[in-house]
mmCIF file of all heavy atoms in Angstrom:
data_model
loop_
_atom_site.group_PDB
_atom_site.id
_atom_site.type_symbol
_atom_site.label_atom_id
_atom_site.label_comp_id
_atom_site.label_asym_id
_atom_site.label_seq_id
_atom_site.Cartn_x
_atom_site.Cartn_y
_atom_site.Cartn_z
ATOM 1 N N ASP A 130 -1.288 -26.358 -17.779
ATOM 2 C CA ASP A 130 -2.100 -25.461 -18.603
ATOM 3 C C ASP A 130 -1.817 -25.761 -20.110
ATOM 4 O O ASP A 130 -0.701 -25.772 -20.566
ATOM 5 C CB ASP A 130 -1.715 -24.039 -18.285
ATOM 6 C CG ASP A 130 -2.669 -23.002 -18.901
ATOM 7 O OD1 ASP A 130 -3.331 -23.330 -19.904
ATOM 8 O OD2 ASP A 130 -2.736 -21.887 -18.362
ATOM 9 N N ALA A 132 -2.241 -23.886 -22.560
ATOM 10 C CA ALA A 132 -1.614 -22.768 -23.246
ATOM 11 C C ALA A 132 -0.089 -22.852 -23.182
ATOM 12 O O ALA A 132 0.599 -22.264 -24.028
ATOM 13 C CB ALA A 132 -2.079 -21.444 -22.598
ATOM 14 N N LEU A 133 0.457 -23.546 -22.197
ATOM 15 C CA LEU A 133 1.900 -23.682 -22.072
ATOM 16 C C LEU A 133 2.465 -24.705 -23.051
ATOM 17 O O LEU A 133 3.659 -24.716 -23.334
ATOM 18 C CB LEU A 133 2.279 -24.088 -20.664
ATOM 19 C CG LEU A 133 1.870 -23.133 -19.535
ATOM 20 C CD1 LEU A 133 2.302 -23.710 -18.180
ATOM 21 C CD2 LEU A 133 2.474 -21.761 -19.735
ATOM 22 N N GLY A 138 4.984 -21.603 -25.840
ATOM 23 C CA GLY A 138 3.993 -21.335 -24.796
ATOM 24 C C GLY A 138 4.578 -21.216 -23.404
ATOM 25 O O GLY A 138 4.060 -20.494 -22.559
ATOM 26 N N ASP A 140 7.033 -19.673 -22.512
ATOM 27 C CA ASP A 140 7.481 -18.311 -22.223
ATOM 28 C C ASP A 140 6.510 -17.551 -21.328
ATOM 29 O O ASP A 140 6.881 -16.573 -20.681
ATOM 30 C CB ASP A 140 7.682 -17.521 -23.541
ATOM 31 C CG ASP A 140 8.938 -17.975 -24.292
ATOM 32 O OD1 ASP A 140 9.833 -18.541 -23.651
ATOM 33 O OD2 ASP A 140 8.996 -17.772 -25.521
ATOM 34 N N ARG A 141 5.247 -18.024 -21.289
ATOM 35 C CA ARG A 141 4.277 -17.396 -20.426
ATOM 36 C C ARG A 141 4.634 -17.542 -18.959
ATOM 37 O O ARG A 141 4.133 -16.790 -18.108
ATOM 38 C CB ARG A 141 2.874 -17.977 -20.670
ATOM 39 C CG ARG A 141 2.296 -17.608 -22.057
ATOM 40 C CD ARG A 141 0.893 -18.181 -22.231
ATOM 41 N NE ARG A 141 0.249 -17.690 -23.416
ATOM 42 C CZ ARG A 141 0.344 -18.275 -24.621
ATOM 43 N NH1 ARG A 141 1.045 -19.372 -24.752
ATOM 44 N NH2 ARG A 141 -0.285 -17.763 -25.669
ATOM 45 N N GLN A 142 5.501 -18.466 -18.625
ATOM 46 C CA GLN A 142 5.915 -18.669 -17.230
ATOM 47 C C GLN A 142 6.664 -17.457 -16.696
ATOM 48 O O GLN A 142 6.715 -17.233 -15.490
ATOM 49 C CB GLN A 142 6.768 -19.890 -17.084
ATOM 50 C CG GLN A 142 6.018 -21.231 -17.193
ATOM 51 C CD GLN A 142 5.019 -21.410 -16.062
ATOM 52 O OE1 GLN A 142 3.830 -21.210 -16.227
ATOM 53 N NE2 GLN A 142 5.497 -21.787 -14.914
ATOM 54 N N PHE A 143 7.222 -16.655 -17.566
ATOM 55 C CA PHE A 143 7.932 -15.433 -17.133
ATOM 56 C C PHE A 143 6.973 -14.405 -16.610
ATOM 57 O O PHE A 143 7.363 -13.438 -15.954
ATOM 58 C CB PHE A 143 8.734 -14.820 -18.278
ATOM 59 C CG PHE A 143 9.962 -15.616 -18.666
ATOM 60 C CD1 PHE A 143 9.964 -16.459 -19.762
ATOM 61 C CD2 PHE A 143 11.122 -15.508 -17.908
ATOM 62 C CE1 PHE A 143 11.075 -17.170 -20.097
ATOM 63 C CE2 PHE A 143 12.266 -16.221 -18.263
ATOM 64 C CZ PHE A 143 12.239 -17.057 -19.345
ATOM 65 N N ALA A 144 5.668 -14.585 -16.900
ATOM 66 C CA ALA A 144 4.694 -13.565 -16.561
ATOM 67 C C ALA A 144 3.671 -14.020 -15.525
ATOM 68 O O ALA A 144 2.845 -13.216 -15.106
ATOM 69 C CB ALA A 144 3.936 -13.120 -17.821
ATOM 70 N N ARG A 145 3.734 -15.276 -15.140
ATOM 71 C CA ARG A 145 2.716 -15.757 -14.200
ATOM 72 C C ARG A 145 2.860 -14.974 -12.888
ATOM 73 O O ARG A 145 3.968 -14.796 -12.367
ATOM 74 C CB ARG A 145 2.888 -17.262 -13.980
ATOM 75 C CG ARG A 145 2.482 -18.057 -15.229
ATOM 76 C CD ARG A 145 1.040 -17.729 -15.629
ATOM 77 N NE ARG A 145 0.683 -18.208 -16.948
ATOM 78 C CZ ARG A 145 0.105 -19.383 -17.192
ATOM 79 N NH1 ARG A 145 -0.094 -20.217 -16.212
ATOM 80 N NH2 ARG A 145 -0.221 -19.709 -18.391
ATOM 81 N N ASN A 146 1.717 -14.557 -12.333
ATOM 82 C CA ASN A 146 1.760 -13.662 -11.176
ATOM 83 C C ASN A 146 1.902 -14.414 -9.875
ATOM 84 O O ASN A 146 1.907 -13.829 -8.801
ATOM 85 C CB ASN A 146 0.533 -12.762 -11.119
ATOM 86 C CG ASN A 146 -0.763 -13.552 -11.072
ATOM 87 O OD1 ASN A 146 -0.897 -14.558 -11.755
ATOM 88 N ND2 ASN A 146 -1.713 -13.091 -10.306
ATOM 89 N N ARG A 149 3.375 -20.641 -10.114
ATOM 90 C CA ARG A 149 2.623 -21.818 -10.544
ATOM 91 C C ARG A 149 3.599 -22.805 -11.174
ATOM 92 O O ARG A 149 4.086 -22.605 -12.278
ATOM 93 C CB ARG A 149 1.566 -21.454 -11.569
ATOM 94 C CG ARG A 149 0.465 -20.557 -11.005
ATOM 95 C CD ARG A 149 -0.670 -20.465 -12.021
ATOM 96 N NE ARG A 149 -1.693 -19.548 -11.543
ATOM 97 C CZ ARG A 149 -1.755 -18.276 -11.881
ATOM 98 N NH1 ARG A 149 -0.833 -17.767 -12.675
ATOM 99 N NH2 ARG A 149 -2.721 -17.508 -11.434
ATOM 100 N N LEU A 237 5.404 -16.705 -30.074
ATOM 101 C CA LEU A 237 4.111 -16.197 -29.590
ATOM 102 C C LEU A 237 3.715 -14.982 -30.378
ATOM 103 O O LEU A 237 4.553 -14.221 -30.881
ATOM 104 C CB LEU A 237 4.222 -15.886 -28.111
ATOM 105 C CG LEU A 237 4.380 -17.054 -27.151
ATOM 106 C CD1 LEU A 237 4.590 -16.531 -25.731
ATOM 107 C CD2 LEU A 237 3.166 -17.977 -27.208
ATOM 108 N N SER A 240 1.032 -9.618 -29.375
ATOM 109 C CA SER A 240 0.222 -9.172 -28.252
ATOM 110 C C SER A 240 0.526 -9.989 -26.983
ATOM 111 O O SER A 240 0.541 -9.444 -25.858
ATOM 112 C CB SER A 240 -1.265 -9.312 -28.572
ATOM 113 O OG SER A 240 -1.590 -10.651 -28.919
ATOM 114 N N ASP A 241 0.829 -11.295 -27.157
ATOM 115 C CA ASP A 241 1.181 -12.124 -25.995
ATOM 116 C C ASP A 241 2.544 -11.709 -25.438
ATOM 117 O O ASP A 241 2.737 -11.693 -24.231
ATOM 118 C CB ASP A 241 1.202 -13.591 -26.401
ATOM 119 C CG ASP A 241 -0.171 -14.183 -26.574
ATOM 120 O OD1 ASP A 241 -1.156 -13.408 -26.501
ATOM 121 O OD2 ASP A 241 -0.283 -15.381 -26.779
ATOM 122 N N ILE A 242 3.478 -11.417 -26.334
ATOM 123 C CA ILE A 242 4.807 -10.958 -25.874
ATOM 124 C C ILE A 242 4.691 -9.669 -25.084
ATOM 125 O O ILE A 242 5.327 -9.457 -24.073
ATOM 126 C CB ILE A 242 5.756 -10.826 -27.082
ATOM 127 C CG1 ILE A 242 6.058 -12.224 -27.664
ATOM 128 C CG2 ILE A 242 7.044 -10.104 -26.699
ATOM 129 C CD1 ILE A 242 6.867 -12.198 -28.945
ATOM 130 N N TRP A 243 3.840 -8.756 -25.595
ATOM 131 C CA TRP A 243 3.587 -7.496 -24.897
ATOM 132 C C TRP A 243 3.065 -7.743 -23.505
ATOM 133 O O TRP A 243 3.531 -7.122 -22.526
ATOM 134 C CB TRP A 243 2.603 -6.654 -25.696
ATOM 135 C CG TRP A 243 2.097 -5.422 -25.021
ATOM 136 C CD1 TRP A 243 2.792 -4.268 -24.814
ATOM 137 C CD2 TRP A 243 0.796 -5.228 -24.498
ATOM 138 N NE1 TRP A 243 1.988 -3.357 -24.178
ATOM 139 C CE2 TRP A 243 0.749 -3.909 -23.963
ATOM 140 C CE3 TRP A 243 -0.360 -6.009 -24.431
ATOM 141 C CZ2 TRP A 243 -0.373 -3.373 -23.372
ATOM 142 C CZ3 TRP A 243 -1.491 -5.490 -23.826
ATOM 143 C CH2 TRP A 243 -1.507 -4.195 -23.295
ATOM 144 N N ARG A 244 2.156 -8.690 -23.362
ATOM 145 C CA ARG A 244 1.570 -8.963 -22.039
ATOM 146 C C ARG A 244 2.616 -9.590 -21.113
ATOM 147 O O ARG A 244 2.670 -9.271 -19.921
ATOM 148 C CB ARG A 244 0.390 -9.918 -22.180
ATOM 149 C CG ARG A 244 -0.786 -9.315 -22.953
ATOM 150 C CD ARG A 244 -1.890 -10.320 -23.092
ATOM 151 N NE ARG A 244 -2.901 -9.842 -24.027
ATOM 152 C CZ ARG A 244 -4.170 -10.179 -23.974
ATOM 153 N NH1 ARG A 244 -4.606 -10.980 -23.046
ATOM 154 N NH2 ARG A 244 -5.041 -9.695 -24.870
ATOM 155 N N ILE A 245 3.445 -10.471 -21.635
ATOM 156 C CA ILE A 245 4.496 -11.067 -20.816
ATOM 157 C C ILE A 245 5.423 -9.972 -20.266
ATOM 158 O O ILE A 245 5.786 -9.987 -19.095
ATOM 159 C CB ILE A 245 5.303 -12.106 -21.642
ATOM 160 C CG1 ILE A 245 4.445 -13.322 -21.934
ATOM 161 C CG2 ILE A 245 6.580 -12.519 -20.924
ATOM 162 C CD1 ILE A 245 5.047 -14.297 -22.928
ATOM 163 N N LYS A 246 5.779 -9.038 -21.130
ATOM 164 C CA LYS A 246 6.635 -7.935 -20.685
ATOM 165 C C LYS A 246 5.976 -7.124 -19.557
ATOM 166 O O LYS A 246 6.607 -6.766 -18.559
ATOM 167 C CB LYS A 246 6.965 -7.008 -21.838
ATOM 168 C CG LYS A 246 7.891 -7.630 -22.901
ATOM 169 C CD LYS A 246 8.136 -6.642 -24.044
ATOM 170 C CE LYS A 246 9.052 -7.241 -25.095
ATOM 171 N NZ LYS A 246 9.288 -6.294 -26.215
ATOM 172 N N LEU A 247 4.659 -6.878 -19.710
ATOM 173 C CA LEU A 247 3.945 -6.117 -18.677
ATOM 174 C C LEU A 247 3.985 -6.821 -17.331
ATOM 175 O O LEU A 247 4.296 -6.232 -16.304
ATOM 176 C CB LEU A 247 2.495 -5.883 -19.121
ATOM 177 C CG LEU A 247 2.235 -4.898 -20.245
ATOM 178 C CD1 LEU A 247 0.727 -4.828 -20.517
ATOM 179 C CD2 LEU A 247 2.766 -3.523 -19.925
ATOM 180 N N TYR A 248 3.624 -8.086 -17.354
ATOM 181 C CA TYR A 248 3.582 -8.823 -16.115
ATOM 182 C C TYR A 248 4.968 -8.958 -15.469
ATOM 183 O O TYR A 248 5.124 -8.823 -14.244
ATOM 184 C CB TYR A 248 3.039 -10.254 -16.364
ATOM 185 C CG TYR A 248 1.522 -10.338 -16.435
ATOM 186 C CD1 TYR A 248 0.817 -9.674 -17.432
ATOM 187 C CD2 TYR A 248 0.811 -11.094 -15.530
ATOM 188 C CE1 TYR A 248 -0.557 -9.779 -17.527
ATOM 189 C CE2 TYR A 248 -0.576 -11.222 -15.611
ATOM 190 C CZ TYR A 248 -1.250 -10.543 -16.617
ATOM 191 O OH TYR A 248 -2.613 -10.647 -16.662
ATOM 192 N N PHE A 249 5.967 -9.181 -16.295
ATOM 193 C CA PHE A 249 7.330 -9.300 -15.794
ATOM 194 C C PHE A 249 7.765 -8.013 -15.137
ATOM 195 O O PHE A 249 8.299 -8.018 -14.009
ATOM 196 C CB PHE A 249 8.260 -9.643 -16.961
ATOM 197 C CG PHE A 249 9.696 -9.937 -16.545
ATOM 198 C CD1 PHE A 249 10.096 -11.239 -16.293
ATOM 199 C CD2 PHE A 249 10.619 -8.921 -16.413
ATOM 200 C CE1 PHE A 249 11.403 -11.505 -15.939
ATOM 201 C CE2 PHE A 249 11.926 -9.182 -16.058
ATOM 202 C CZ PHE A 249 12.335 -10.488 -15.794
ATOM 203 N N ASN A 252 6.046 -7.437 -11.844
ATOM 204 C CA ASN A 252 6.527 -8.354 -10.789
ATOM 205 C C ASN A 252 7.923 -8.006 -10.272
ATOM 206 O O ASN A 252 8.262 -8.365 -9.164
ATOM 207 C CB ASN A 252 6.473 -9.796 -11.263
ATOM 208 C CG ASN A 252 5.072 -10.379 -11.257
ATOM 209 O OD1 ASN A 252 4.309 -10.125 -10.315
ATOM 210 N ND2 ASN A 252 4.697 -11.113 -12.291
ATOM 211 N N CYS A 273 -9.973 -5.686 -24.444
ATOM 212 C CA CYS A 273 -9.197 -6.399 -23.413
ATOM 213 C C CYS A 273 -7.789 -5.794 -23.313
ATOM 214 O O CYS A 273 -7.299 -5.515 -22.187
ATOM 215 C CB CYS A 273 -9.129 -7.863 -23.741
ATOM 216 S SG CYS A 273 -8.135 -8.847 -22.564
ATOM 217 N N LEU A 277 -6.091 -3.553 -20.309
ATOM 218 C CA LEU A 277 -4.825 -3.979 -19.677
ATOM 219 C C LEU A 277 -3.804 -2.871 -19.719
ATOM 220 O O LEU A 277 -3.072 -2.630 -18.750
ATOM 221 C CB LEU A 277 -4.292 -5.230 -20.356
ATOM 222 C CG LEU A 277 -2.995 -5.841 -19.769
ATOM 223 C CD1 LEU A 277 -3.215 -6.201 -18.307
ATOM 224 C CD2 LEU A 277 -2.586 -7.062 -20.569
ATOM 225 N N PRO A 358 -3.475 -8.257 -13.245
ATOM 226 C CA PRO A 358 -4.869 -8.668 -13.244
ATOM 227 C C PRO A 358 -5.078 -9.984 -12.491
ATOM 228 O O PRO A 358 -4.216 -10.865 -12.457
ATOM 229 C CB PRO A 358 -5.172 -8.824 -14.740
ATOM 230 C CG PRO A 358 -4.244 -7.909 -15.415
ATOM 231 C CD PRO A 358 -2.963 -7.992 -14.607
ATOM 232 N N ARG A 360 -7.405 -12.234 -13.150
ATOM 233 C CA ARG A 360 -7.869 -13.333 -13.995
ATOM 234 C C ARG A 360 -6.814 -13.752 -14.974
ATOM 235 O O ARG A 360 -6.217 -12.917 -15.666
ATOM 236 C CB ARG A 360 -9.155 -12.897 -14.740
ATOM 237 C CG ARG A 360 -10.334 -12.741 -13.836
ATOM 238 C CD ARG A 360 -11.426 -11.961 -14.523
ATOM 239 N NE ARG A 360 -10.992 -10.610 -14.803
ATOM 240 C CZ ARG A 360 -11.587 -9.795 -15.641
ATOM 241 N NH1 ARG A 360 -12.688 -10.182 -16.255
ATOM 242 N NH2 ARG A 360 -11.152 -8.581 -15.867
ATOM 243 N N ARG A 361 -6.664 -15.049 -15.128
ATOM 244 C CA ARG A 361 -5.647 -15.548 -16.042
ATOM 245 C C ARG A 361 -6.035 -15.345 -17.486
ATOM 246 O O ARG A 361 -5.203 -15.512 -18.390
ATOM 247 C CB ARG A 361 -5.424 -17.032 -15.744
ATOM 248 C CG ARG A 361 -4.817 -17.313 -14.405
ATOM 249 C CD ARG A 361 -4.680 -18.759 -14.110
ATOM 250 N NE ARG A 361 -3.681 -19.398 -14.979
ATOM 251 C CZ ARG A 361 -3.419 -20.696 -14.957
ATOM 252 N NH1 ARG A 361 -4.044 -21.465 -14.108
ATOM 253 N NH2 ARG A 361 -2.532 -21.193 -15.754
ATOM 254 N N ALA A 362 -7.275 -14.955 -17.749
ATOM 255 C CA ALA A 362 -7.698 -14.714 -19.118
ATOM 256 C C ALA A 362 -6.903 -13.595 -19.772
ATOM 257 O O ALA A 362 -6.797 -13.498 -21.003
ATOM 258 C CB ALA A 362 -9.187 -14.356 -19.168
ATOM 259 N N TYR A 363 -6.287 -12.740 -18.926
ATOM 260 C CA TYR A 363 -5.501 -11.640 -19.490
ATOM 261 C C TYR A 363 -4.110 -12.071 -19.895
ATOM 262 O O TYR A 363 -3.330 -11.281 -20.379
ATOM 263 C CB TYR A 363 -5.432 -10.484 -18.480
ATOM 264 C CG TYR A 363 -6.711 -9.677 -18.451
ATOM 265 C CD1 TYR A 363 -7.624 -9.813 -17.446
ATOM 266 C CD2 TYR A 363 -7.007 -8.817 -19.497
ATOM 267 C CE1 TYR A 363 -8.812 -9.100 -17.420
ATOM 268 C CE2 TYR A 363 -8.183 -8.088 -19.493
ATOM 269 C CZ TYR A 363 -9.087 -8.242 -18.477
ATOM 270 O OH TYR A 363 -10.259 -7.515 -18.495
ATOM 271 N N LEU A 364 -3.763 -13.341 -19.680
ATOM 272 C CA LEU A 364 -2.457 -13.802 -20.119
ATOM 273 C C LEU A 364 -2.665 -15.106 -20.912
ATOM 274 O O LEU A 364 -2.623 -16.154 -20.377
ATOM 275 C CB LEU A 364 -1.520 -14.058 -18.953
ATOM 276 C CG LEU A 364 -0.107 -14.424 -19.345
ATOM 277 C CD1 LEU A 364 0.523 -13.336 -20.185
ATOM 278 C CD2 LEU A 364 0.742 -14.676 -18.131
#
Side-chain angles (χ1 to χ4, degrees):
D130 190 337
L133 300 179
D140 287 338
R141 292 182 171 90
Q142 287 295 101
F143 288 100
R145 292 301 168 93
N146 58 321
R149 295 191 183 95
L237 292 174
S240 58
D241 285 7
I242 291 174
W243 171 74
R244 295 179 191 208
I245 290 170
K246 291 179 179 179
L247 288 180
Y248 279 63
F249 186 93
N252 283 319
C273 178
L277 183 59
R360 290 164 297 166
R361 294 176 67 182
Y363 282 104
L364 186 58

